[in-house]
Amino acid sequence: MNPAPFRALARVVPAAALLLVMTACTDDSPPSAAASSSEPASPQASTAPAATTPTGRTTAMNIRLTLDGHRIAATLNDSPTARDFAAQLPLTLSLSDLNQAEKVADLPGKLSTSGAPEGADPGVGDLAYYAPWNQLATYYRDAPYATGLVILGHMADGGAEQLATADEITIEAAP
């Protein structure tokens, strides 16, 4: 009997077991169907536990945007950057159009980018922080990946259409 295959197996089995244990202990599983369902955002804050986003992160807070007199519900994620942004609320900011895809506004203070990814690929309705220029970026059209962009949250359906023509935005915690 040749012991070489048994020695190789003795080396592989512990490594495979360790890999299995480490994989089972991570939280990289896809979100459940309930977490990824898209329900309309409520304009009022809820006393229920925070909602779960498709990425599995909980939302930190519900906010309200006012664009040309129209109130739009939105949510902020639970990132350090979004928490810093929430601490600056309420804000009323003048908006400038950029690339016919987004409206930007200067923020009164810098936000933390601790733990933030290097950049992001924003979508329609996203609220983001553009760290290099210390600006709030709000998207009414898709835009390409940008280094230094940190997604803060998302507007409810209909917000992007209002944003496209707005010159001013008021952001406050939802009542």
Side-chain angles (χ1 to χ4, degrees):
M1 176 145 113
N2 185 356
F6 293 108
R7 275 188 248 132
L9 188 59
R11 286 191 303 263
V12 172
V13 170
L18 179 61
L19 180 61
L20 181 61
V21 168
M22 290 180 65
T23 303
C25 292
T26 64
D27 191 22
D28 288 341
S29 58
S32 67
S36 63
S37 70
S38 59
E39 295 181 22
S42 168
Q44 292 188 341
S46 170
T47 56
T52 302
T53 64
T55 60
R57 298 192 71 147
T58 57
T59 55
M61 89 181 311
N62 292 323
I63 59 172
R64 182 175 56 208
L65 313 177
T66 304
L67 299 162
D68 294 334
H70 296 92
R71 290 185 173 172
I72 309 294
T75 55
L76 295 177
N77 59 41
D78 70 345
S79 69
T81 310
R83 287 191 296 270
D84 271 6
F85 178 70
Q88 292 186 6
L89 301 181
L91 291 171
T92 297
L93 305 168
S94 295
L95 296 170
S96 300
D97 196 83
L98 185 63
N99 300 322
Q100 297 179 339
E102 64 185 285
K103 297 283 182 144
V104 297
D106 294 331
L107 290 173
K110 289 201 173 280
L111 306 179
S112 169
T113 55
S114 173
E118 184 178 304
D121 185 10
V124 174
D126 278 346
L127 306 172
Y129 175 59
Y130 188 59
W133 295 348
N134 190 47
Q135 288 185 324
L136 174 68
T138 53
Y139 293 86
Y140 61 92
R141 289 200 178 112
D142 280 327
Y145 176 92
T147 301
L149 189 69
V150 181
I151 303 296
L152 300 172
H154 194 79
M155 289 182 262
D157 291 341
E161 292 83 20
Q162 295 296 324
L163 178 63
T165 59
D167 294 321
E168 185 177 85
I169 186 171
T170 298
I171 310 157
E172 57 194 340

